[in-house]
Amino acid sequence: MIQDVRFYSLKKKITTICLLFISVSAFCNTVNFFTTEKQEMALAAGFTACFKNDLKVEPIFINSSYYADYNELYMDCGVAIQNQKMDFTSNVFYMPTFFDLFRAGLGFGYHGYVYSGEFTENDVLFSARFKWCKSDFYNASFAAGFLVKTSEINAMSRYKKDLFERSYFLELMFKWTFSSKFNLYCSVSSIDYFDYPLLGTPFFKGGVNYKINDNIGLEAAMTLKCVDMITSAVYLSECNLKTNVKVYF
């Protein structure tokens, strides 16, 4: 009797392990955790012209960025330089591909802003991300997360060391790829690449990318920044045109 119970218990454990192994194998066959082959890397440099600018930005400033896109893993960093001001941004996103239909995962971002002798700001972002990628022609992506902001005003540093704020951010983007050389995109977001206000200041953006050849490409994007759109009447705070030359590796 005791031997029968022991045998039944051992049989149950072996069956459970086999079912677990089969389930894990089936799951792994439907999920691509990482694309090993080289995908796309680019270095971009250009300038941003502001047709309407707030106090944060100059009428014209230069910017540069680098990104590496391996489908499931994406990394970038960028710098914008103005008169006595500098922004630095860096992001890392990891989104495994499920069933060759969509990607879902997490993201981390950091932004630093320095106004020499006056003001410094640090933003840390944590996000959940989703991207529909079944079609080669069309894809859509969505991100939502937390924004942690610390700021220091030099003139007030002796009274209060840091100003600390917590907020949320949302981002929705659509992209149409007409060929290997040409694509269009548009987005609405509560943050921009070098600008991270608290929730309530949306950015509307539309842009185009064109590859001259396998190594050189051009990018142009128009951005509208609307202050306090959710809590009061719409006020256009900023309108700028960003242009970049991209070198692909």
Side-chain angles (χ1 to χ4, degrees):
M1 182 68 179
I2 296 176
Q3 289 181 348
D4 291 341
V5 171
R6 289 178 177 176
F7 176 77
Y8 176 76
S9 177
L10 179 61
K11 182 179 179 182
K12 185 177 180 181
K13 290 179 180 178
I14 293 174
T15 302
T16 301
I17 292 172
C18 290
L19 289 174
L20 182 62
F21 179 78
I22 293 171
S23 299
V24 171
S25 299
F27 176 76
C28 290
N29 287 333
T30 60
V31 180
N32 184 24
F33 293 97
F34 189 75
T35 301
T36 55
E37 62 267 21
K38 179 179 177 181
Q39 293 298 315
E40 184 174 89
M41 293 184 289
L43 179 65
F47 68 90
T48 300
C50 299
F51 304 107
K52 180 177 176 60
N53 59 303
D54 56 21
L55 297 176
K56 186 179 186 296
V57 296
E58 303 289 336
I60 296 179
F61 61 91
I62 61 173
N63 54 261
S64 63
S65 61
Y66 169 83
Y67 72 85
D69 188 351
Y70 293 91
N71 289 337
E72 290 74 28
L73 179 64
Y74 174 87
M75 301 174 287
D76 69 45
C77 61
V79 176
I81 300 174
Q82 306 177 57
N83 181 29
Q84 295 184 301
K85 304 171 187 175
M86 186 182 75
D87 288 89
F88 172 79
T89 297
S90 181
N91 295 287
V92 178
F93 308 145
Y94 178 63
M95 298 184 291
T97 302
F98 296 83
F99 309 105
D100 291 325
L101 293 177
F102 66 89
R103 298 183 190 126
L106 301 174
F108 172 81
Y110 168 77
H111 166 250
Y113 171 65
V114 178
Y115 189 157
S116 181
E118 300 292 338
F119 179 79
T120 59
E121 178 180 278
N122 294 281
D123 301 298
V124 179
L125 302 92
F126 304 94
S127 60
R129 313 188 73 87
F130 174 89
K131 183 175 183 179
W132 178 261
C133 58
K134 177 177 173 57
S135 170
D136 292 332
F137 171 69
Y138 165 79
N139 66 61
S141 59
F142 174 76
F146 298 98
L147 168 63
V148 179
K149 181 185 293 289
T150 62
S151 308
E152 182 178 346
I153 302 173
N154 293 15
M156 295 178 58
S157 59
R158 66 166 64 182
Y159 306 107
K160 186 174 180 62
K161 184 64 175 176
D162 292 307
L163 303 175
F164 181 79
E165 297 284 351
R166 286 174 293 185
S167 186
Y168 304 94
F169 71 93
L170 301 169
E171 185 176 56
L172 179 63
M173 180 176 178
F174 303 95
K175 182 178 179 181
W176 296 266
T177 302
F178 295 93
S179 70
S180 60
K181 294 186 175 183
F182 179 68
N183 66 69
L184 295 171
Y185 64 90
C186 65
S187 68
V188 56
S189 176
S190 61
I191 59 175
D192 199 20
Y193 194 72
F194 292 117
D195 198 354
Y196 295 79
L198 302 179
L199 187 66
T201 302
F203 296 83
F204 299 92
K205 180 183 290 187
V208 57
N209 286 285
Y210 177 72
K211 268 190 174 182
I212 298 174
N213 54 47
D214 291 339
N215 301 111
I216 303 294
L218 302 175
E219 178 188 14
M222 177 71 75
T223 302
L224 304 177
K225 178 182 179 181
C226 299
V227 175
D228 297 330
M229 182 175 177
I230 297 176
T231 58
S232 63
V234 179
Y235 171 70
L236 180 61
S237 172
E238 187 179 310
C239 173
N240 65 59
L241 175 66
K242 182 178 75 173
T243 60
N244 274 320
V245 176
K246 293 184 176 181
V247 178
Y248 295 92
F249 301 96

